Amino acid sequence: MSAPQTAGTRVPALPSPPDDAPGRRPRGRRARPGGGTEPRPRRRTRRSRWFTPWLYLLAPLTLLVVFTYLPVADMISYSFTDWDGISPTRNFVGLDNYTDLFTRPQLFQVFWVSLFYLAGSVVQIAAALYFATILSFNTRLRNLFKGILFFPYLINGVAIGFVFLYFFQPGGTLDSILKAFGVGPHLWLGDPHLVNTSLAGVSVWRFMGLNMVLFLGAIQSIPPQLYEAAALDGASRWQQFRYVIAPSIRPIISLSVILAISGSLSVFEIPFIMTGGSNNSETFVIQTIKLAFNFNKTGLASAAAVVLLAIVLLVTWLQRLLFPDERVEQS
């Protein structure tokens, strides 16, 4: 029998078993419910959770603010002044620029011109949807036709304007083709009744390929099981388009409609190069450019740009309100 311990006597510490001893749990590990051990998860600080994504967004947000929101803010401030674009001083005039703008009959005339481009956008979307549907099936030389239809969008707008100047000139390419069918020559860019239709046709030719690529990408993302189920039910090509393709690509169609409406209101490049806005072909943007650089009325031109921005936002909001996007479930 051992002697009893006295006060002040230190009991020697027993040596700890090694980490690989039976029944010993390694340090930094926790027991699993079914036995064994697993590493302890590292604790992440709350700061690393919210701060890391903003580091990746810092560059694009900086570019967005510097090149979009700041210029828009400056444009709105200019619209309340009489600045001529050159003088370092500008006087505050309040709503005089907006009053002058809405009392001009030319303002409503240019919106009538936009209707031609809006009608052309309808034709453009319909043609793009048709070609995208045809080329999504097993069609011979479909890759070649994809490149041919998309190629006009890759050409510079200035080059397209000069090419179609020769195409529409009297006795040019179009008149030579129509002469073979017994149709006489016309002043396609000189007749006020034909000029906007001709220019809208050029826009359709140029931008139809872009919409086709958007529709084609959306159609190719549809699961093939839907086509197989439709084929087993005996659905024709038209029924496949109506009940499978069209509902599946509805968000892309809605996006194309918004882009078409905003684009028809802000047409600039093709009519400015081909006619300069003459013969009743002046658009809203061409009128704004002339106010700013030809008549040195930068304040009034800024007010016109603000009105155009408000109209585009209003039309987009109405379109989203009347035709809300529905979540499309593809299975």
Side-chain angles (χ1 to χ4, degrees), residues 75-82 91-95 97-98 299 303:
M75 179 183 68
I76 295 175
S77 65
Y78 295 154
S79 66
F80 296 103
T81 65
D82 61 350
N91 301 317
F92 180 79
V93 296
L95 298 176
N97 288 329
Y98 294 94

Side-chain angles (χ1 to χ4, degrees), residues 253-280:
I253 296 177
S254 177
L255 174 63
S256 298
V257 171
I258 294 176
L259 294 177
I261 295 175
S262 60
S264 62
L265 293 173
S266 57
V267 176
F268 168 70
E269 194 175 31
I270 290 177
F272 183 78
I273 295 170
M274 298 182 64
T275 63
S278 60
N279 298 325
N280 200 22

Side-chain angles (χ1 to χ4, degrees), residues 17-40:
D19 292 342
D20 56 352
R24 174 66 176 176
R25 187 172 64 195
R27 297 178 182 178
R29 295 177 177 268
R30 61 181 180 183
R32 293 180 178 177
T37 59
E38 64 179 0
R40 292 181 180 271

Side-chain angles (χ1 to χ4, degrees), residues 208-220:
M208 191 269 294
L210 175 63
N211 286 276
M212 184 204 67
V213 170
L214 294 177
F215 293 147
L216 191 60
I219 292 173
Q220 290 178 349

Side-chain angles (χ1 to χ4, degrees), residues 1 4 11 28 32 40 66 74 76 81 84 86 97 133 146 157 170 204 240 253 267-268 292-293 298 304:
M1 178 179 294
V11 178
R32 293 180 178 177
R40 292 181 180 271
V66 172
D74 290 337
I76 295 175
T81 65
D84 59 359
I86 301 175
N97 288 329
T133 305
K146 289 178 186 178
V204 171
Q240 290 182 14
I253 296 177
V267 176
F268 168 70
F293 297 102
T298 305

Side-chain angles (χ1 to χ4, degrees), residues 114-131 200-201 203-205 207-208 211-212 215 253 256-264:
S114 298
L115 293 179
F116 288 90
Y117 295 94
L118 184 60
S121 299
V122 175
V123 176
Q124 169 186 313
I125 292 176
L129 191 57
Y130 172 78
F131 285 115
S203 298
V204 171
W205 179 82
F207 293 103
M208 191 269 294
N211 286 276
M212 184 204 67
F215 293 147
I253 296 177
S256 298
V257 171
I258 294 176
L259 294 177
I261 295 175
S262 60
S264 62

